[in-house]
């Protein structure tokens, strides 16, 4: 910004971590080293934003995250980086592999500001690895309880289920946690370990889902199908595993189709093998097949994606809660959805 303001654009090559065009060609400078002391950073300048407008949008269900019945929600990032190497994930290219964290005191200070200054009563922790360090997370939970901060929270980017146990889940519940997301990715252990390279125990995830149901924390799960190296049988295993987790207490299965983002191992493998379909490098839609291998076609991946989503068939109580939520947030939308449903059931508009 200073270089632009002072019209000293010749110095751009010396500025780390930026991209620009030089004589019409793209130029990327050396990456800026990661900030290790995240406590050094100030809190987000929320006072410069129209916070009340955001809260209104949440109540009307017009934001990216669920509104939790119109609560005043905010996002908070307490750590950066991911040391893992999932083949489809771009996260460590953006944040780096070094996991860096804010101190529990610093995190809870920001929470206190959100609650007391902005009236926030729900927080989305957007970390990729919120539960990486148990002692740190337990300290955060203890400080929230000690300061008597009343709010609810969730982890919409997901946690690794093998980093939590019953004791820490109880502390999370006591501090306001109402919802967690886990990410098995596949229902086949071999795919998880050797193809996706996530190295997480699927039985441990099932155990955590059961513990959360017992404790009273809602759980959702992320799945991905269509990864290079998978077979149709592997994808069927994922659908079956998702159904199993639903029976154990999982609220919803979020299925996605493997997207070959440039820079990921998935992209490099697909490109080297000639598996990328037309438009793959520019695709950012997670529900569109973009890889075909000798094991599966795009249409077949679509089939397993749709089969996985069918695992989310709502139980009667879920339908009632969804209708109530829509009634509170947007009665007109509820009326439209109900009309479309009735028309479909009756077989046509004339009915």
């Amino acid at each position: 910004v200073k270089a632009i303001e002072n019209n000293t654009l010749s110095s751009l090559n010396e500025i780390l971590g930026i991209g620009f065009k030089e004589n019409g060609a793209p130029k990327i400078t050396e990456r800026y080293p990661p900030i290790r002391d995240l406590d050094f950073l100030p809190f987000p300048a929320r006072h410069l934003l129209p916070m009340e407008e955001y809260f209104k949008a949440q109540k009307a269900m017009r934001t990216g995250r669920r509104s939790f019945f119109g609560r005043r929600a905010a996002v908070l990032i307490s750590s950066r980086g991911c040391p893992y190497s999932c083949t489809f994930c771009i996260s460590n290219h953006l944040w780096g592999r070094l996991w860096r964290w804010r101190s529990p005191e610093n995190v809870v200070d920001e929470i206190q500001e959100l609650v007391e200054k902005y009236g926030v009563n729900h927080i989305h922790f957007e970390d990729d690895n919120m539960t990486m360090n148990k002692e740190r997370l337990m300290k955060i939970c203890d400080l929230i309880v000690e300061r008597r901060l009343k709010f609810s929270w969730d982890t919409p980017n997901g946690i690794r289920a093998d980093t939590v146990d019953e004791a820490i889940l109880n502390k999370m519940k006591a501090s306001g946690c109402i919802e967690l997301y886990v990410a098995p990715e596949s229902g086949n252990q071999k795919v998880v370990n050797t193809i996706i390279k996530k190295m997480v125990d699927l039985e441990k995830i099932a155990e955590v889902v059961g513990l959360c149901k017992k404790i009273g924390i809602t759980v959702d799960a992320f799945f991905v199908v269509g990864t290079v190296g998978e077979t149709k049988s592997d994808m069927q295993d994922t659908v079956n595993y998702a159904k199993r987790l639903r029976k154990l207490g999982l609220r919803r299965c979020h299925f996605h189709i493997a997207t070959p983002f440039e820079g990921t191992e998935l992209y490099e493998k697909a490109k080297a093998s000639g598996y990328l379909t037309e438009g793959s490098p520019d695709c950012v839609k997670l529900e569109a097949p973009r890889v075909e291998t000798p094991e599966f076609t795009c249409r077949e991946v679509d089939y397993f994606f749709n089969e996985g989503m069918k695992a989310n068939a709502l139980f009667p109580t879920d339908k009632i809660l969804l209708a109530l939520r829509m009634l509170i947030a947007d009665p007109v939308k509820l009326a439209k959805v109900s009309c479309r449903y009735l028309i479909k059931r009756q077989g046509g508009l004339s009915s």
Side-chain angles (χ1 to χ4, degrees):
V1 171
K2 290 178 180 177
I4 293 171
E5 285 181 341
N6 299 328
N7 199 27
T8 55
L9 299 184
S10 59
S11 65
L12 290 180
N13 283 298
E14 302 170 8
I15 302 172
L16 300 180
I18 63 171
F20 58 95
K21 284 187 177 180
E22 189 173 61
N23 299 321
K27 179 72 179 289
I28 307 294
T29 64
E30 183 180 342
R31 185 166 187 160
Y32 198 91
I35 300 170
R36 290 177 177 266
D37 181 13
L38 297 184
D39 284 3
F40 170 78
L41 298 173
F43 299 154
R46 294 183 176 92
H47 62 286
L48 299 179
L49 297 173
M51 295 298 291
E52 292 302 320
E53 294 302 315
Y54 284 110
F55 297 139
K56 289 178 184 177
Q58 290 166 2
K59 188 174 182 180
M61 296 198 300
R62 300 185 187 280
T63 60
R65 296 297 186 197
R66 294 194 305 111
S67 63
F68 289 95
F69 289 98
R71 298 185 188 186
R72 295 166 66 91
V75 299
L76 190 153
I77 300 176
S78 77
S79 63
R80 299 179 179 183
C82 181
Y84 300 103
S85 305
C86 297
T87 55
F88 62 81
C89 186
I90 201 73
S91 178
N92 53 39
H93 292 274
L94 301 175
W95 289 110
R97 292 193 183 280
L98 177 66
W99 185 69
R100 297 159 286 143
W101 65 94
R102 295 165 56 186
S103 67
E105 292 78 10
N106 182 264
V107 173
V108 179
D109 284 347
E110 183 178 352
I111 292 173
Q112 189 164 349
E113 178 181 271
L114 286 168
V115 172
E116 295 179 354
K117 185 175 180 179
Y118 297 100
V120 166
N121 52 23
H122 186 84
I123 291 176
H124 302 294
F125 283 98
E126 300 283 356
D127 303 45
D128 286 324
N129 290 283
M130 176 71 180
T131 59
M132 178 70 72
N133 183 296
K134 289 184 181 180
E135 289 72 24
R136 169 182 173 270
L137 180 56
M138 292 177 80
K139 179 64 174 177
I140 289 173
C141 294
D142 287 340
L143 286 172
I144 290 170
V145 173
E146 287 174 15
R147 298 189 192 184
R148 299 181 181 180
L149 299 173
K150 303 299 181 183
F151 69 100
S152 57
W153 59 274
D154 68 335
T155 61
N157 279 349
I159 64 167
R160 281 187 65 100
D162 55 2
T163 61
V164 297
D165 52 31
E166 187 167 2
I168 195 168
L169 287 170
N170 276 312
K171 276 191 176 287
M172 292 163 70
K173 171 72 173 179
S175 68
C177 179
I178 61 173
E179 184 172 283
L180 294 176
Y181 287 69
V182 294
E185 315 300 2
S186 171
N188 181 289
Q189 192 66 62
K190 181 180 178 181
V191 172
V192 172
N193 291 350
T194 65
I195 295 177
I196 294 177
K197 299 181 180 179
K198 183 151 193 170
M199 305 300 291
V200 63
D201 185 353
L202 294 179
E203 290 306 312
K204 174 63 176 179
I205 293 177
E207 176 190 332
V208 168
V209 170
L211 283 173
C212 286
K213 182 178 181 180
K214 170 186 171 183
I215 293 168
I217 298 175
T218 300
V219 191
D220 283 21
F222 295 126
F223 297 94
V224 60
V225 291
T227 304
V228 173
E230 269 192 296
T231 66
K232 292 188 285 292
S233 176
D234 295 333
M235 286 184 264
Q236 184 61 56
D237 287 343
T238 300
V239 173
N240 295 340
Y241 181 72
K243 292 178 179 178
R244 176 190 169 197
L245 292 187
R246 280 279 284 165
K247 291 179 181 178
L248 290 174
L250 193 75
R251 183 190 61 181
R252 185 172 177 80
C253 309
H254 299 266
F255 269 75
H256 299 288
I257 292 172
T259 302
F261 292 111
E262 289 194 47
T264 63
E265 184 177 333
L266 171 62
Y267 175 81
E268 296 302 330
K269 282 185 176 180
K271 182 179 180 181
S273 302
Y275 296 157
L276 293 175
T277 61
E278 184 179 352
S280 291
D282 300 321
C283 175
V284 293
K285 186 177 181 183
L286 303 183
E287 288 77 23
R290 286 295 179 267
V291 173
E292 284 192 340
T293 77
E295 295 290 344
F296 56 77
T297 64
C298 285
R299 178 171 291 185
E300 288 169 333
V301 174
D302 242 341
Y303 167 79
F304 288 108
F305 167 78
N306 290 321
E307 286 298 297
M309 294 301 287
K310 288 179 184 177
N312 293 315
L314 292 176
F315 302 126
T317 53
D318 295 327
K319 293 180 180 180
I320 294 170
L321 289 173
L322 179 62
L324 287 172
R325 179 169 174 257
M326 292 181 67
L327 180 63
I328 294 170
D330 194 339
V332 175
K333 182 177 180 180
L334 176 61
K336 290 180 179 178
V337 171
S338 301
C339 287
R340 285 197 295 268
Y341 174 74
L342 290 172
I343 290 170
K344 183 177 180 181
R345 283 291 300 270
Q346 295 298 324
L349 190 59
S350 60
S351 300

